[in-house]
Amino acid sequence: MGKKGEEKTSKKGGCLKPLFFLVFLLIGSLGTGIYFTFVPQDLSDIDGYRDEPAAIPTAGRDLAAVLRASRSRLTPATITEEEINNYLSRTLRLDQGGLTKGYVTLRGVWVRLEAGHAEVILERELNVEGFNRRHTVAMHMAFTQTIEPGTGIATGFNPVGHSASFADRMMEPNAGRFGTVPVVEGYLVLVRDSFVALLDAYPEIQKSFQELLGAGMRVTIEDGRLLIAPPPAS
């Protein structure tokens, strides 16, 4: 009897060891993931990024006017990543609102242009009882364009409903990052309003861009630049 009892105890212990090891791995992975959500992105690769506000450029093209001119004349245009970030630095009022106002500072908004999408990044600084740490959160802006026979270029947006605003439809619901960690589906809803509010701060840009797309002009996002081309010849 004693040997059988020892065998049962040994078998149970042998089964529990892998389970404890698996739980340990899961907790470790979760902790590592949470840690890296608070590790800010490296923004030094972004054209136009600046660490100090004193370096803000004082001159540059009015991007709303560039979009309007391209639309009205049906002419090509190129807007670089550096131009976009310089424009934001010159024109955007950095004001952190909501529940975090008072201990979170919005340091800047940056755009990284990559093939097929624009990554919009909010760079913040947390200041809580002597604790200072930078933090980044990002969402993607994207759309699709297809050539429809007989009608030209059609632009498609994210499926968030026809009643959603243009700014809301431009944001990718499942593409973004908290810190350096890609965000799983659904959690971007926690920060989506901040990005929509950012786009709504530029109604002229929105209006001109929407009219440009409505006119059937081709817009291509490449690494480091936005290309605008006239509608294809019918």
Side-chain angles (χ1 to χ4, degrees):
M1 290 293 290
K3 288 184 179 180
K4 289 183 178 180
E6 289 175 2
E7 288 178 1
K8 289 180 180 180
T9 303
S10 177
K11 288 180 180 179
K12 287 181 180 179
C15 292
L16 288 175
K17 284 179 181 178
L19 179 61
F20 284 136
F21 182 67
L22 178 60
V23 171
F24 177 78
L25 284 179
L26 290 173
I27 293 174
S29 299
L30 180 61
T32 301
I34 292 174
Y35 169 76
F36 281 107
T37 63
F38 286 94
V39 175
Q41 285 193 46
D42 179 5
L43 305 177
S44 61
D45 66 306
I46 297 177
D47 295 338
Y49 174 74
R50 57 193 52 80
D51 190 53
E52 296 299 330
I56 293 176
T58 57
R61 291 196 296 175
D62 179 349
L63 298 189
V66 173
L67 295 175
R68 283 197 302 270
S70 180
R71 161 67 184 92
S72 62
R73 301 168 188 167
L74 297 181
T75 53
T78 299
I79 300 174
T80 66
E81 181 178 282
E82 183 174 16
E83 277 190 295
I84 293 172
N85 288 306
N86 286 346
Y87 182 77
L88 288 172
S89 296
R90 289 196 314 271
T91 61
L92 183 63
R93 179 184 174 185
L94 300 179
D95 184 20
Q96 177 68 42
L99 297 175
T100 59
K101 186 175 183 179
Y103 58 90
V104 176
T105 303
L106 182 60
R107 291 183 55 87
V109 176
W110 313 102
V111 175
R112 180 186 283 118
L113 297 181
E114 298 178 315
H117 70 267
E119 184 179 27
V120 184
I121 305 156
L122 305 183
E123 183 188 18
R124 296 184 171 111
E125 186 168 6
L126 285 69
N127 305 283
V128 182
E129 297 180 355
F131 174 80
N132 299 88
R133 188 177 185 87
R134 292 194 188 186
H135 182 255
T136 57
V137 59
M139 282 191 75
H140 289 182
M141 291 176 56
F143 51 87
T144 58
Q145 289 190 309
T146 56
I147 298 179
E148 301 289 342
T151 60
I153 293 179
T155 302
F157 298 95
N158 297 309
V160 294
H162 295 293
S163 61
S165 69
F166 179 72
D168 205 34
R169 287 182 288 148
M170 285 288 289
M171 305 309 302
E172 281 279 358
N174 304 319
R177 289 189 273 181
F178 286 164
T180 58
V181 179
V183 181
V184 296
E185 182 175 348
Y187 283 94
L188 283 170
V189 70
L190 299 173
V191 296
R192 189 186 187 102
D193 286 349
S194 296
F195 289 90
V196 172
L198 170 65
L199 294 182
D200 285 342
Y202 291 95
E204 285 301 314
I205 292 280
Q206 277 197 64
K207 181 174 181 292
S208 299
F209 196 71
Q210 194 170 9
E211 290 177 348
L212 186 144
L213 294 175
M217 299 189 74
R218 181 179 292 279
V219 180
T220 306
I221 303 176
E222 296 183 348
D223 289 342
R225 61 180 186 170
L226 179 78
L227 304 178
I228 301 169
S234 56

